[in-house]
Amino acid sequence: MGTILRAGIIGDTGCGDYGHGLDIAYQNSPDVIVVSIADPDKNGRKAAAQRSGASREYYDYREMLDKENLDLVNVCPRWLGKHEEMVIASANAGVKGLLCEKPFAASLSQADSMLESCERNGVRVVVAHRRANAYEIHGKKLLDDGLIGDLRTIRSRGKEDRRAGAMDLMVLGTHMMDSLRYFAGDEVEWVHGSVTQDNHAVTVDDICEGNEEIGLIAGNGVDAHFRFRNGISAYFESHPTDPGSDRHSRSFGFEIHGTTGVISMRNSPSGEMYIYPYGQWIPRESDGKWERVYIENWERNKDGTVRSSSERMHLSNHLMVTELINAIREDREVEGVSSGEDGRKALEMIMAVHESERLKTRVYLPMVNRDNPYSTWRREEYGF
């Protein structure tokens, strides 16, 4: 163990809060002490300080960055309105590492500014995507070891709850975009997207402000095709479903189709994994049945009790902060988890879906338009 690292937590109660447990990500990390927390909401700040063990509290995160000599900062709010300013301020304050809640930013221009500041200041960045999950790590190893033959196609879908369509793609689909890149093992060449509102192609009149400060969006239906440079195709879809259904969590995931089998990942980030030992699209019972894979040290505590969803979430967060700490100490880029660059590329895949709908054509990456496609569309149509 090296020098103890000093961490600060940035939250915003009522405006994205503390993400998915990112305020307590350093629990059980002997290399880190949480020294301070910033949150403009007094009650939320006190509660988060108790959870995280922070000894000092700040109303303004900028005051915290100015007064505390921090090595690590967690940018926790799920809402995106302040991600850019929080990340840039932290990088300019001299921190060594950042853990940022997903999605990384509201636009590519914001992500560009954030990463430029981090690169200029030598800051390592991890984005809280769920490739940091025992099932995805295991599934990637099985794929690389040839369990399902040669990779052919990956099919993913959103949670398809009340946020179906554009919100689903942005808020939860960012996990899927990151996982598609992780399993395909290459960069996306082009994207073709279809975005619909109640089954009709979206128009400029369908554009509205998204929730959680994600910016302008449109559409409650999304179908997208991603073509990777290595020839692999991947897909994402999200459409409205019965709001009373219990299927939403378990539909959220993806299938990896190979020449000799299929691997299915479901219910991220808690994790469910299934393997089908046949590579054709139309299964026959004689070819085998779906088998569920259990990873015991992910599913159960050392005493044998079943881990809760929040406990498995903490395991995922712990994987991310451990890698962030190791990258800082070993003076290298982060590996095996989602980096800041991975966060930007997941966002680019999302924005390319909407840009494709706007332009009615394929969009090649990297994208030329770094603004929100709907801001561009509205400005071209109405002049503002």
Side-chain angles (χ1 to χ4, degrees), residues 151-156 180 183-184 188-190 224-236 255-257 281 349 362:
L151 175 61
R152 287 290 181 259
T153 303
I154 310 176
R155 295 180 175 272
S156 67
L180 294 181
F183 280 90
V188 176
E189 180 180 12
W190 54 258
H225 177 191
F226 306 93
R227 184 71 171 182
F228 288 83
R229 297 187 186 279
N230 59 9
I232 301 301
S233 279
Y235 302 88
F236 175 86
E255 278 82 47
I256 308 150
H257 293 263
W281 291 106
M349 293 168 70
R362 290 178 181 173

PDB file of all heavy atoms in Angstrom, residues 151-156 180 183-184 188-190 224-236 255-257 281 349 362:
ATOM      1  N   LEU A 151     -17.421 -14.209 -33.393  1.00  0.00           N
ATOM      2  CA  LEU A 151     -18.467 -13.218 -33.134  1.00  0.00           C
ATOM      3  C   LEU A 151     -19.099 -12.767 -34.440  1.00  0.00           C
ATOM      4  O   LEU A 151     -18.406 -12.447 -35.407  1.00  0.00           O
ATOM      5  CB  LEU A 151     -17.862 -12.013 -32.395  1.00  0.00           C
ATOM      6  CG  LEU A 151     -18.787 -10.827 -32.134  1.00  0.00           C
ATOM      7  CD1 LEU A 151     -19.975 -11.236 -31.274  1.00  0.00           C
ATOM      8  CD2 LEU A 151     -18.009  -9.702 -31.469  1.00  0.00           C
ATOM      9  N   ARG A 152     -20.419 -12.719 -34.449  1.00  0.00           N
ATOM     10  CA  ARG A 152     -21.140 -12.289 -35.640  1.00  0.00           C
ATOM     11  C   ARG A 152     -21.948 -11.012 -35.392  1.00  0.00           C
ATOM     12  O   ARG A 152     -21.859 -10.050 -36.131  1.00  0.00           O
ATOM     13  CB  ARG A 152     -22.082 -13.410 -36.118  1.00  0.00           C
ATOM     14  CG  ARG A 152     -21.365 -14.569 -36.772  1.00  0.00           C
ATOM     15  CD  ARG A 152     -20.792 -14.146 -38.125  1.00  0.00           C
ATOM     16  NE  ARG A 152     -20.119 -15.244 -38.807  1.00  0.00           N
ATOM     17  CZ  ARG A 152     -18.808 -15.409 -38.851  1.00  0.00           C
ATOM     18  NH1 ARG A 152     -18.019 -14.565 -38.208  1.00  0.00           N
ATOM     19  NH2 ARG A 152     -18.268 -16.407 -39.518  1.00  0.00           N
ATOM     20  N   THR A 153     -22.770 -11.005 -34.340  1.00  0.00           N
ATOM     21  CA  THR A 153     -23.718  -9.907 -34.122  1.00  0.00           C
ATOM     22  C   THR A 153     -23.952  -9.732 -32.627  1.00  0.00           C
ATOM     23  O   THR A 153     -23.925 -10.703 -31.871  1.00  0.00           O
ATOM     24  CB  THR A 153     -25.078 -10.217 -34.792  1.00  0.00           C
ATOM     25  OG1 THR A 153     -24.871 -10.464 -36.188  1.00  0.00           O
ATOM     26  CG2 THR A 153     -26.048  -9.060 -34.638  1.00  0.00           C
ATOM     27  N   ILE A 154     -24.208  -8.481 -32.214  1.00  0.00           N
ATOM     28  CA  ILE A 154     -24.627  -8.205 -30.844  1.00  0.00           C
ATOM     29  C   ILE A 154     -25.941  -7.435 -30.911  1.00  0.00           C
ATOM     30  O   ILE A 154     -26.043  -6.431 -31.621  1.00  0.00           O
ATOM     31  CB  ILE A 154     -23.582  -7.380 -30.072  1.00  0.00           C
ATOM     32  CG1 ILE A 154     -22.187  -8.000 -30.201  1.00  0.00           C
ATOM     33  CG2 ILE A 154     -23.983  -7.268 -28.599  1.00  0.00           C
ATOM     34  CD1 ILE A 154     -21.096  -7.180 -29.548  1.00  0.00           C
ATOM     35  N   ARG A 155     -26.919  -7.894 -30.165  1.00  0.00           N
ATOM     36  CA  ARG A 155     -28.235  -7.251 -30.150  1.00  0.00           C
ATOM     37  C   ARG A 155     -28.547  -6.783 -28.732  1.00  0.00           C
ATOM     38  O   ARG A 155     -28.552  -7.590 -27.806  1.00  0.00           O
ATOM     39  CB  ARG A 155     -29.322  -8.213 -30.648  1.00  0.00           C
ATOM     40  CG  ARG A 155     -29.157  -8.592 -32.110  1.00  0.00           C
ATOM     41  CD  ARG A 155     -30.240  -9.554 -32.576  1.00  0.00           C
ATOM     42  NE  ARG A 155     -30.111  -9.792 -34.012  1.00  0.00           N
ATOM     43  CZ  ARG A 155     -30.666  -9.054 -34.954  1.00  0.00           C
ATOM     44  NH1 ARG A 155     -31.429  -8.022 -34.605  1.00  0.00           N
ATOM     45  NH2 ARG A 155     -30.493  -9.331 -36.235  1.00  0.00           N
ATOM     46  N   SER A 156     -28.815  -5.497 -28.575  1.00  0.00           N
ATOM     47  CA  SER A 156     -29.070  -4.936 -27.251  1.00  0.00           C
ATOM     48  C   SER A 156     -30.413  -4.208 -27.224  1.00  0.00           C
ATOM     49  O   SER A 156     -30.928  -3.806 -28.263  1.00  0.00           O
ATOM     50  CB  SER A 156     -27.944  -3.969 -26.854  1.00  0.00           C
ATOM     51  OG  SER A 156     -27.938  -2.822 -27.689  1.00  0.00           O
ATOM     52  N   LEU A 180     -21.240  -2.712 -26.020  1.00  0.00           N
ATOM     53  CA  LEU A 180     -21.092  -3.102 -27.425  1.00  0.00           C
ATOM     54  C   LEU A 180     -19.650  -2.932 -27.879  1.00  0.00           C
ATOM     55  O   LEU A 180     -19.074  -3.811 -28.540  1.00  0.00           O
ATOM     56  CB  LEU A 180     -22.020  -2.266 -28.314  1.00  0.00           C
ATOM     57  CG  LEU A 180     -23.531  -2.459 -28.145  1.00  0.00           C
ATOM     58  CD1 LEU A 180     -24.293  -1.569 -29.110  1.00  0.00           C
ATOM     59  CD2 LEU A 180     -23.937  -3.911 -28.306  1.00  0.00           C
ATOM     60  N   PHE A 183     -17.333  -5.659 -26.135  1.00  0.00           N
ATOM     61  CA  PHE A 183     -17.397  -7.012 -26.680  1.00  0.00           C
ATOM     62  C   PHE A 183     -17.012  -7.077 -28.151  1.00  0.00           C
ATOM     63  O   PHE A 183     -16.410  -8.068 -28.590  1.00  0.00           O
ATOM     64  CB  PHE A 183     -18.790  -7.604 -26.461  1.00  0.00           C
ATOM     65  CG  PHE A 183     -18.990  -8.131 -25.073  1.00  0.00           C
ATOM     66  CD1 PHE A 183     -19.493  -7.316 -24.071  1.00  0.00           C
ATOM     67  CD2 PHE A 183     -18.653  -9.432 -24.757  1.00  0.00           C
ATOM     68  CE1 PHE A 183     -19.655  -7.791 -22.775  1.00  0.00           C
ATOM     69  CE2 PHE A 183     -18.812  -9.924 -23.463  1.00  0.00           C
ATOM     70  CZ  PHE A 183     -19.309  -9.095 -22.469  1.00  0.00           C
ATOM     71  N   ALA A 184     -17.334  -6.061 -28.925  1.00  0.00           N
ATOM     72  CA  ALA A 184     -16.948  -6.071 -30.345  1.00  0.00           C
ATOM     73  C   ALA A 184     -15.443  -5.911 -30.506  1.00  0.00           C
ATOM     74  O   ALA A 184     -14.865  -6.373 -31.499  1.00  0.00           O
ATOM     75  CB  ALA A 184     -17.685  -4.971 -31.105  1.00  0.00           C
ATOM     76  N   VAL A 188     -16.416   1.859 -33.790  1.00  0.00           N
ATOM     77  CA  VAL A 188     -17.575   1.961 -34.671  1.00  0.00           C
ATOM     78  C   VAL A 188     -17.199   2.776 -35.909  1.00  0.00           C
ATOM     79  O   VAL A 188     -16.603   3.840 -35.804  1.00  0.00           O
ATOM     80  CB  VAL A 188     -18.756   2.631 -33.947  1.00  0.00           C
ATOM     81  CG1 VAL A 188     -19.937   2.818 -34.891  1.00  0.00           C
ATOM     82  CG2 VAL A 188     -19.163   1.800 -32.736  1.00  0.00           C
ATOM     83  N   GLU A 189     -17.539   2.244 -37.079  1.00  0.00           N
ATOM     84  CA  GLU A 189     -17.279   2.954 -38.336  1.00  0.00           C
ATOM     85  C   GLU A 189     -18.438   3.875 -38.697  1.00  0.00           C
ATOM     86  O   GLU A 189     -18.230   5.038 -39.018  1.00  0.00           O
ATOM     87  CB  GLU A 189     -17.051   1.955 -39.468  1.00  0.00           C
ATOM     88  CG  GLU A 189     -16.765   2.618 -40.805  1.00  0.00           C
ATOM     89  CD  GLU A 189     -16.536   1.623 -41.924  1.00  0.00           C
ATOM     90  OE1 GLU A 189     -16.822   0.416 -41.735  1.00  0.00           O
ATOM     91  OE2 GLU A 189     -16.077   2.043 -43.007  1.00  0.00           O
ATOM     92  N   TRP A 190     -19.672   3.329 -38.662  1.00  0.00           N
ATOM     93  CA  TRP A 190     -20.818   4.159 -38.971  1.00  0.00           C
ATOM     94  C   TRP A 190     -22.049   3.719 -38.173  1.00  0.00           C
ATOM     95  O   TRP A 190     -22.091   2.618 -37.631  1.00  0.00           O
ATOM     96  CB  TRP A 190     -21.148   4.186 -40.462  1.00  0.00           C
ATOM     97  CG  TRP A 190     -21.350   2.872 -41.160  1.00  0.00           C
ATOM     98  CD1 TRP A 190     -20.455   2.229 -41.969  1.00  0.00           C
ATOM     99  CD2 TRP A 190     -22.533   2.051 -41.169  1.00  0.00           C
ATOM    100  NE1 TRP A 190     -20.992   1.057 -42.453  1.00  0.00           N
ATOM    101  CE2 TRP A 190     -22.273   0.929 -41.983  1.00  0.00           C
ATOM    102  CE3 TRP A 190     -23.779   2.152 -40.559  1.00  0.00           C
ATOM    103  CZ2 TRP A 190     -23.217  -0.087 -42.208  1.00  0.00           C
ATOM    104  CZ3 TRP A 190     -24.727   1.143 -40.764  1.00  0.00           C
ATOM    105  CH2 TRP A 190     -24.435   0.046 -41.589  1.00  0.00           C
ATOM    106  N   ALA A 224     -31.414   1.228 -33.852  1.00  0.00           N
ATOM    107  CA  ALA A 224     -30.108   1.689 -34.315  1.00  0.00           C
ATOM    108  C   ALA A 224     -29.232   0.517 -34.734  1.00  0.00           C
ATOM    109  O   ALA A 224     -29.249  -0.550 -34.107  1.00  0.00           O
ATOM    110  CB  ALA A 224     -29.407   2.486 -33.220  1.00  0.00           C
ATOM    111  N   HIS A 225     -28.480   0.747 -35.810  1.00  0.00           N
ATOM    112  CA  HIS A 225     -27.525  -0.233 -36.341  1.00  0.00           C
ATOM    113  C   HIS A 225     -26.134   0.386 -36.266  1.00  0.00           C
ATOM    114  O   HIS A 225     -25.903   1.480 -36.793  1.00  0.00           O
ATOM    115  CB  HIS A 225     -27.891  -0.564 -37.793  1.00  0.00           C
ATOM    116  CG  HIS A 225     -26.950  -1.503 -38.460  1.00  0.00           C
ATOM    117  ND1 HIS A 225     -26.993  -1.743 -39.827  1.00  0.00           N
ATOM    118  CD2 HIS A 225     -25.930  -2.270 -37.991  1.00  0.00           C
ATOM    119  CE1 HIS A 225     -26.046  -2.614 -40.154  1.00  0.00           C
ATOM    120  NE2 HIS A 225     -25.393  -2.941 -39.056  1.00  0.00           N
ATOM    121  N   PHE A 226     -25.213  -0.322 -35.608  1.00  0.00           N
ATOM    122  CA  PHE A 226     -23.825   0.129 -35.483  1.00  0.00           C
ATOM    123  C   PHE A 226     -22.928  -0.845 -36.235  1.00  0.00           C
ATOM    124  O   PHE A 226     -22.970  -2.051 -35.979  1.00  0.00           O
ATOM    125  CB  PHE A 226     -23.403   0.181 -34.015  1.00  0.00           C
ATOM    126  CG  PHE A 226     -24.322   0.989 -33.147  1.00  0.00           C
ATOM    127  CD1 PHE A 226     -25.369   0.390 -32.466  1.00  0.00           C
ATOM    128  CD2 PHE A 226     -24.150   2.365 -33.020  1.00  0.00           C
ATOM    129  CE1 PHE A 226     -26.226   1.130 -31.664  1.00  0.00           C
ATOM    130  CE2 PHE A 226     -25.002   3.119 -32.228  1.00  0.00           C
ATOM    131  CZ  PHE A 226     -26.046   2.494 -31.554  1.00  0.00           C
ATOM    132  N   ARG A 227     -22.110  -0.308 -37.129  1.00  0.00           N
ATOM    133  CA  ARG A 227     -21.185  -1.145 -37.895  1.00  0.00           C
ATOM    134  C   ARG A 227     -19.763  -0.864 -37.433  1.00  0.00           C
ATOM    135  O   ARG A 227     -19.283   0.282 -37.499  1.00  0.00           O
ATOM    136  CB  ARG A 227     -21.310  -0.850 -39.388  1.00  0.00           C
ATOM    137  CG  ARG A 227     -20.457  -1.745 -40.275  1.00  0.00           C
ATOM    138  CD  ARG A 227     -20.991  -3.167 -40.315  1.00  0.00           C
ATOM    139  NE  ARG A 227     -20.296  -3.967 -41.326  1.00  0.00           N
ATOM    140  CZ  ARG A 227     -20.583  -5.230 -41.607  1.00  0.00           C
ATOM    141  NH1 ARG A 227     -21.562  -5.831 -40.952  1.00  0.00           N
ATOM    142  NH2 ARG A 227     -19.910  -5.891 -42.525  1.00  0.00           N
ATOM    143  N   PHE A 228     -19.099  -1.908 -36.936  1.00  0.00           N
ATOM    144  CA  PHE A 228     -17.735  -1.757 -36.464  1.00  0.00           C
ATOM    145  C   PHE A 228     -16.748  -1.953 -37.607  1.00  0.00           C
ATOM    146  O   PHE A 228     -17.051  -2.597 -38.619  1.00  0.00           O
ATOM    147  CB  PHE A 228     -17.451  -2.756 -35.339  1.00  0.00           C
ATOM    148  CG  PHE A 228     -18.146  -2.425 -34.044  1.00  0.00           C
ATOM    149  CD1 PHE A 228     -19.466  -2.794 -33.827  1.00  0.00           C
ATOM    150  CD2 PHE A 228     -17.482  -1.717 -33.052  1.00  0.00           C
ATOM    151  CE1 PHE A 228     -20.108  -2.479 -32.639  1.00  0.00           C
ATOM    152  CE2 PHE A 228     -18.116  -1.396 -31.865  1.00  0.00           C
ATOM    153  CZ  PHE A 228     -19.430  -1.773 -31.656  1.00  0.00           C
ATOM    154  N   ARG A 229     -15.558  -1.408 -37.433  1.00  0.00           N
ATOM    155  CA  ARG A 229     -14.540  -1.475 -38.488  1.00  0.00           C
ATOM    156  C   ARG A 229     -14.093  -2.900 -38.779  1.00  0.00           C
ATOM    157  O   ARG A 229     -13.606  -3.190 -39.869  1.00  0.00           O
ATOM    158  CB  ARG A 229     -13.345  -0.596 -38.113  1.00  0.00           C
ATOM    159  CG  ARG A 229     -13.707   0.881 -38.008  1.00  0.00           C
ATOM    160  CD  ARG A 229     -12.493   1.782 -37.812  1.00  0.00           C
ATOM    161  NE  ARG A 229     -12.916   3.156 -37.575  1.00  0.00           N
ATOM    162  CZ  ARG A 229     -13.278   4.017 -38.527  1.00  0.00           C
ATOM    163  NH1 ARG A 229     -13.253   3.626 -39.793  1.00  0.00           N
ATOM    164  NH2 ARG A 229     -13.666   5.238 -38.215  1.00  0.00           N
ATOM    165  N   ASN A 230     -14.272  -3.807 -37.807  1.00  0.00           N
ATOM    166  CA  ASN A 230     -13.892  -5.201 -38.035  1.00  0.00           C
ATOM    167  C   ASN A 230     -15.006  -6.013 -38.693  1.00  0.00           C
ATOM    168  O   ASN A 230     -14.896  -7.238 -38.834  1.00  0.00           O
ATOM    169  CB  ASN A 230     -13.471  -5.861 -36.717  1.00  0.00           C
ATOM    170  CG  ASN A 230     -14.576  -5.838 -35.655  1.00  0.00           C
ATOM    171  OD1 ASN A 230     -15.711  -5.489 -35.936  1.00  0.00           O
ATOM    172  ND2 ASN A 230     -14.210  -6.215 -34.440  1.00  0.00           N
ATOM    173  N   GLY A 231     -16.097  -5.345 -39.093  1.00  0.00           N
ATOM    174  CA  GLY A 231     -17.180  -6.013 -39.804  1.00  0.00           C
ATOM    175  C   GLY A 231     -18.326  -6.477 -38.930  1.00  0.00           C
ATOM    176  O   GLY A 231     -19.357  -6.941 -39.447  1.00  0.00           O
ATOM    177  N   ILE A 232     -18.192  -6.373 -37.604  1.00  0.00           N
ATOM    178  CA  ILE A 232     -19.271  -6.786 -36.697  1.00  0.00           C
ATOM    179  C   ILE A 232     -20.397  -5.760 -36.735  1.00  0.00           C
ATOM    180  O   ILE A 232     -20.152  -4.550 -36.741  1.00  0.00           O
ATOM    181  CB  ILE A 232     -18.741  -6.930 -35.261  1.00  0.00           C
ATOM    182  CG1 ILE A 232     -17.605  -7.953 -35.204  1.00  0.00           C
ATOM    183  CG2 ILE A 232     -19.864  -7.299 -34.301  1.00  0.00           C
ATOM    184  CD1 ILE A 232     -18.000  -9.322 -35.670  1.00  0.00           C
ATOM    185  N   SER A 233     -21.636  -6.247 -36.745  1.00  0.00           N
ATOM    186  CA  SER A 233     -22.806  -5.384 -36.618  1.00  0.00           C
ATOM    187  C   SER A 233     -23.393  -5.521 -35.221  1.00  0.00           C
ATOM    188  O   SER A 233     -23.409  -6.613 -34.643  1.00  0.00           O
ATOM    189  CB  SER A 233     -23.880  -5.753 -37.646  1.00  0.00           C
ATOM    190  OG  SER A 233     -23.581  -5.190 -38.911  1.00  0.00           O
ATOM    191  N   ALA A 234     -23.867  -4.410 -34.681  1.00  0.00           N
ATOM    192  CA  ALA A 234     -24.542  -4.404 -33.388  1.00  0.00           C
ATOM    193  C   ALA A 234     -25.796  -3.557 -33.497  1.00  0.00           C
ATOM    194  O   ALA A 234     -25.876  -2.646 -34.340  1.00  0.00           O
ATOM    195  CB  ALA A 234     -23.619  -3.871 -32.292  1.00  0.00           C
ATOM    196  N   TYR A 235     -26.772  -3.843 -32.634  1.00  0.00           N
ATOM    197  CA  TYR A 235     -28.069  -3.186 -32.717  1.00  0.00           C
ATOM    198  C   TYR A 235     -28.547  -2.777 -31.322  1.00  0.00           C
ATOM    199  O   TYR A 235     -28.196  -3.403 -30.322  1.00  0.00           O
ATOM    200  CB  TYR A 235     -29.100  -4.119 -33.353  1.00  0.00           C
ATOM    201  CG  TYR A 235     -28.716  -4.599 -34.722  1.00  0.00           C
ATOM    202  CD1 TYR A 235     -27.937  -5.748 -34.878  1.00  0.00           C
ATOM    203  CD2 TYR A 235     -29.094  -3.895 -35.868  1.00  0.00           C
ATOM    204  CE1 TYR A 235     -27.564  -6.187 -36.140  1.00  0.00           C
ATOM    205  CE2 TYR A 235     -28.715  -4.330 -37.133  1.00  0.00           C
ATOM    206  CZ  TYR A 235     -27.948  -5.479 -37.265  1.00  0.00           C
ATOM    207  OH  TYR A 235     -27.569  -5.905 -38.517  1.00  0.00           O
ATOM    208  N   PHE A 236     -29.354  -1.722 -31.303  1.00  0.00           N
ATOM    209  CA  PHE A 236     -30.011  -1.294 -30.067  1.00  0.00           C
ATOM    210  C   PHE A 236     -31.439  -0.910 -30.401  1.00  0.00           C
ATOM    211  O   PHE A 236     -31.698  -0.283 -31.433  1.00  0.00           O
ATOM    212  CB  PHE A 236     -29.304  -0.080 -29.451  1.00  0.00           C
ATOM    213  CG  PHE A 236     -30.023   0.478 -28.248  1.00  0.00           C
ATOM    214  CD1 PHE A 236     -29.793  -0.036 -26.971  1.00  0.00           C
ATOM    215  CD2 PHE A 236     -30.949   1.518 -28.378  1.00  0.00           C
ATOM    216  CE1 PHE A 236     -30.460   0.470 -25.864  1.00  0.00           C
ATOM    217  CE2 PHE A 236     -31.616   2.026 -27.272  1.00  0.00           C
ATOM    218  CZ  PHE A 236     -31.369   1.496 -26.013  1.00  0.00           C
ATOM    219  N   GLU A 255     -27.499  -9.700 -26.297  1.00  0.00           N
ATOM    220  CA  GLU A 255     -27.095 -11.050 -26.691  1.00  0.00           C
ATOM    221  C   GLU A 255     -25.917 -10.969 -27.649  1.00  0.00           C
ATOM    222  O   GLU A 255     -25.921 -10.171 -28.593  1.00  0.00           O
ATOM    223  CB  GLU A 255     -28.234 -11.802 -27.385  1.00  0.00           C
ATOM    224  CG  GLU A 255     -29.235 -12.430 -26.435  1.00  0.00           C
ATOM    225  CD  GLU A 255     -30.249 -11.426 -25.963  1.00  0.00           C
ATOM    226  OE1 GLU A 255     -30.778 -10.686 -26.807  1.00  0.00           O
ATOM    227  OE2 GLU A 255     -30.512 -11.358 -24.746  1.00  0.00           O
ATOM    228  N   ILE A 256     -24.924 -11.810 -27.404  1.00  0.00           N
ATOM    229  CA  ILE A 256     -23.732 -11.886 -28.247  1.00  0.00           C
ATOM    230  C   ILE A 256     -23.849 -13.162 -29.071  1.00  0.00           C
ATOM    231  O   ILE A 256     -23.783 -14.269 -28.519  1.00  0.00           O
ATOM    232  CB  ILE A 256     -22.459 -11.913 -27.390  1.00  0.00           C
ATOM    233  CG1 ILE A 256     -22.462 -10.758 -26.397  1.00  0.00           C
ATOM    234  CG2 ILE A 256     -21.212 -11.882 -28.255  1.00  0.00           C
ATOM    235  CD1 ILE A 256     -21.735 -11.062 -25.119  1.00  0.00           C
ATOM    236  N   HIS A 257     -24.046 -13.028 -30.375  1.00  0.00           N
ATOM    237  CA  HIS A 257     -24.260 -14.182 -31.245  1.00  0.00           C
ATOM    238  C   HIS A 257     -22.948 -14.555 -31.934  1.00  0.00           C
ATOM    239  O   HIS A 257     -22.327 -13.736 -32.613  1.00  0.00           O
ATOM    240  CB  HIS A 257     -25.312 -13.861 -32.306  1.00  0.00           C
ATOM    241  CG  HIS A 257     -26.681 -13.665 -31.742  1.00  0.00           C
ATOM    242  ND1 HIS A 257     -27.637 -14.658 -31.722  1.00  0.00           N
ATOM    243  CD2 HIS A 257     -27.254 -12.589 -31.145  1.00  0.00           C
ATOM    244  CE1 HIS A 257     -28.744 -14.204 -31.162  1.00  0.00           C
ATOM    245  NE2 HIS A 257     -28.535 -12.950 -30.808  1.00  0.00           N
ATOM    246  N   TRP A 281     -30.085 -18.954 -35.742  1.00  0.00           N
ATOM    247  CA  TRP A 281     -31.127 -18.045 -35.272  1.00  0.00           C
ATOM    248  C   TRP A 281     -32.368 -18.774 -34.770  1.00  0.00           C
ATOM    249  O   TRP A 281     -33.070 -18.297 -33.893  1.00  0.00           O
ATOM    250  CB  TRP A 281     -31.536 -17.086 -36.395  1.00  0.00           C
ATOM    251  CG  TRP A 281     -30.454 -16.108 -36.728  1.00  0.00           C
ATOM    252  CD1 TRP A 281     -29.651 -16.106 -37.836  1.00  0.00           C
ATOM    253  CD2 TRP A 281     -30.025 -14.994 -35.948  1.00  0.00           C
ATOM    254  NE1 TRP A 281     -28.758 -15.070 -37.784  1.00  0.00           N
ATOM    255  CE2 TRP A 281     -28.965 -14.364 -36.637  1.00  0.00           C
ATOM    256  CE3 TRP A 281     -30.439 -14.469 -34.728  1.00  0.00           C
ATOM    257  CZ2 TRP A 281     -28.313 -13.245 -36.154  1.00  0.00           C
ATOM    258  CZ3 TRP A 281     -29.792 -13.344 -34.236  1.00  0.00           C
ATOM    259  CH2 TRP A 281     -28.745 -12.739 -34.961  1.00  0.00           C
ATOM    260  N   MET A 349     -21.851   7.421 -30.001  1.00  0.00           N
ATOM    261  CA  MET A 349     -22.762   6.453 -30.611  1.00  0.00           C
ATOM    262  C   MET A 349     -24.213   6.888 -30.435  1.00  0.00           C
ATOM    263  O   MET A 349     -25.029   6.775 -31.355  1.00  0.00           O
ATOM    264  CB  MET A 349     -22.538   5.070 -30.005  1.00  0.00           C
ATOM    265  CG  MET A 349     -21.188   4.458 -30.344  1.00  0.00           C
ATOM    266  SD  MET A 349     -20.806   2.987 -29.340  1.00  0.00           S
ATOM    267  CE  MET A 349     -21.987   1.794 -29.989  1.00  0.00           C
ATOM    268  N   ARG A 362     -26.608   7.341 -43.119  1.00  0.00           N
ATOM    269  CA  ARG A 362     -25.578   6.870 -42.207  1.00  0.00           C
ATOM    270  C   ARG A 362     -24.744   8.047 -41.712  1.00  0.00           C
ATOM    271  O   ARG A 362     -24.532   9.017 -42.420  1.00  0.00           O
ATOM    272  CB  ARG A 362     -24.628   5.906 -42.911  1.00  0.00           C
ATOM    273  CG  ARG A 362     -25.179   4.564 -43.274  1.00  0.00           C
ATOM    274  CD  ARG A 362     -24.088   3.775 -44.001  1.00  0.00           C
ATOM    275  NE  ARG A 362     -24.562   2.461 -44.420  1.00  0.00           N
ATOM    276  CZ  ARG A 362     -23.865   1.625 -45.185  1.00  0.00           C
ATOM    277  NH1 ARG A 362     -22.655   1.987 -45.601  1.00  0.00           N
ATOM    278  NH2 ARG A 362     -24.372   0.453 -45.518  1.00  0.00           N
TER     279      ARG A 362
END
